[in-house]
Amino acid sequence: MVNLDLRSLTLPVGIIRMFEVVLTCISFSLVASAGHVLSTHWDWCMFTWCFCCFFSLFILIMEFTRFSAKVPISWDDFTTAFAVLATLMCFTSSIIYPTFFTCPTCYRQIAATVSSLLCFGLYVGEVVLARLRPGGEISGFLSTVPGLLKILETLLACIIFTSLDPARFLFHPGLQWCVAVYSLCFIFALVIIFLTVGQLLSLFPFSFDKLLTVYNILATMMYMTAMVIWPLYSFENNPRPVPCSPCPWDNLVVVTFMTVINLVIYILDTIYSIKVVFFTLDEE
């Protein structure tokens, strides 16, 4: 028998989630009605709004039916991690979509952008409310600094993937290495997130923190090579065409910029992991 929890819909976080569902639905509906565009940036924005709408609705249903108490994962950790991820995704989509697809007379596109910005604000509010829970702390790896950095690393990798042009790197070994770096680091970051949300860390016969430190060091070194190789071979004998507003050449700049930012995040993640493993443990 299903026990319904009406209170989950009347709490501030429940009300915010209902608005999130409505606004994300409005965003992708307006964009879909404006017509499909053959662009990975368009695909990313549509994926963002559909993804956020689905999981916000999923969380509402799970808490309304009280099934959330029966799932074998850290539910608070999952919802907080999703809220952070959705915040970042809506923020990037609210920048990418108007940059590439709006114009002064594109009213549906402008309305979709406004709706996306409102969604971003709502998800920020949900993250704030999560931090204001009793005790002021949230348990779980994904709500810690390393966990939040992992979420950010995967998000930036997704933005890189949306900007990659297979015709550019398909026959160039150096650029193929960069794509391999982005892909491997993305996959391992996702595996770490799934293991922590699924509470499977107890299956490891060794320290997860030490494993995470080793992974972060390797990922940082790999991203360092990509930071050098990608711009070196992407822009070699490849000046910005005229006109270009925007054009595929700009995607090379986006990948370069995101590579640098993700490298900085991996460095911070590595420093934090080393601090936790080699200094905090020694003090204990």
Side-chain angles (χ1 to χ4, degrees):
M1 182 178 179
V2 178
N3 295 318
L4 302 181
D5 184 9
L6 293 174
R7 185 171 174 271
S8 65
L9 301 179
T10 58
L11 290 172
V13 68
I15 295 172
I16 286 177
R17 284 170 181 158
M18 286 190 284
F19 277 108
E20 290 167 355
V21 171
V22 173
L23 288 174
T24 49
C25 182
I26 290 174
S27 293
F28 71 72
S29 297
L30 286 170
V31 173
S33 66
H36 180 264
V37 179
L38 291 175
S39 168
T40 53
H41 296 300
W42 189 92
D43 295 337
W44 166 255
C45 294
M46 283 293 285
F47 169 76
T48 293
W49 296 319
C50 293
F51 173 85
C52 293
C53 180
F54 171 80
F55 274 98
S56 293
L57 182 61
F58 172 74
I59 291 170
L60 275 173
I61 294 173
M62 291 293 287
E63 294 192 347
F64 178 63
T65 58
R66 297 185 179 179
F67 285 152
S68 58
K70 301 178 182 179
V71 294
I73 63 173
S74 175
W75 184 253
D76 287 343
D77 199 24
F78 167 74
T79 55
T80 304
F82 165 73
V84 173
L85 179 60
T87 300
L88 297 171
M89 292 176 69
C90 284
F91 176 70
T92 56
S93 295
S94 299
I95 295 175
I96 292 173
Y97 189 77
T99 300
F100 288 93
F101 307 111
T102 60
C103 64
T105 58
C106 302
Y107 300 114
R108 280 180 287 189
Q109 289 89 335
I110 293 172
T113 301
V114 173
S115 179
S116 182
L117 285 169
L118 291 174
C119 288
F120 164 67
L122 288 172
Y123 281 113
V124 170
E126 184 177 346
V127 173
V128 171
L129 287 177
R131 290 291 174 183
L132 294 178
R133 286 173 183 165
E137 297 291 339
I138 307 171
S139 62
F141 172 77
L142 295 182
S143 300
T144 63
V145 172
L148 295 176
L149 290 175
K150 280 286 168 284
I151 294 173
L152 190 55
E153 290 161 4
T154 56
L155 174 67
L156 292 178
C158 287
I159 297 175
I160 289 174
F161 293 142
T162 63
S163 303
L164 290 175
D165 181 9
R168 183 67 187 168
F169 65 80
L170 198 57
F171 303 104
H172 200 300
L175 298 183
Q176 288 176 1
W177 163 253
C178 295
V179 174
V181 169
Y182 304 141
S183 302
L184 288 173
C185 293
F186 174 74
I187 292 171
F188 280 106
L190 276 184
V191 169
I192 291 170
I193 290 173
F194 289 143
L195 288 174
T196 52
V197 171
Q199 297 180 325
L200 300 174
L201 301 183
S202 59
L203 301 178
F204 281 85
F206 41 81
S207 172
F208 176 74
D209 289 336
K210 292 181 179 179
L211 174 65
L212 194 60
T213 301
V214 173
Y215 160 74
N216 286 333
I217 293 173
L218 291 175
T220 300
M221 295 173 63
M222 292 170 68
Y223 255 89
M224 283 181 178
T225 63
M227 185 189 69
V228 176
I229 294 173
W230 180 265
L232 180 65
Y233 291 106
S234 292
F235 301 112
E236 184 181 23
N237 301 321
N238 183 30
R240 193 173 193 266
V242 179
C244 179
S245 57
C247 65
W249 190 90
D250 290 338
N251 290 335
L252 302 177
V253 179
V254 172
V255 174
T256 302
F257 187 63
M258 290 297 119
T259 300
V260 174
I261 293 178
N262 226 5
L263 172 61
V264 173
I265 294 172
Y266 273 106
I267 291 173
L268 294 175
D269 202 357
T270 301
I271 294 173
Y272 194 92
S273 297
I274 292 174
K275 177 180 177 294
V276 170
V277 172
F278 295 102
F279 293 94
T280 305
L281 295 180
D282 289 343
E283 291 176 1
E284 294 176 355

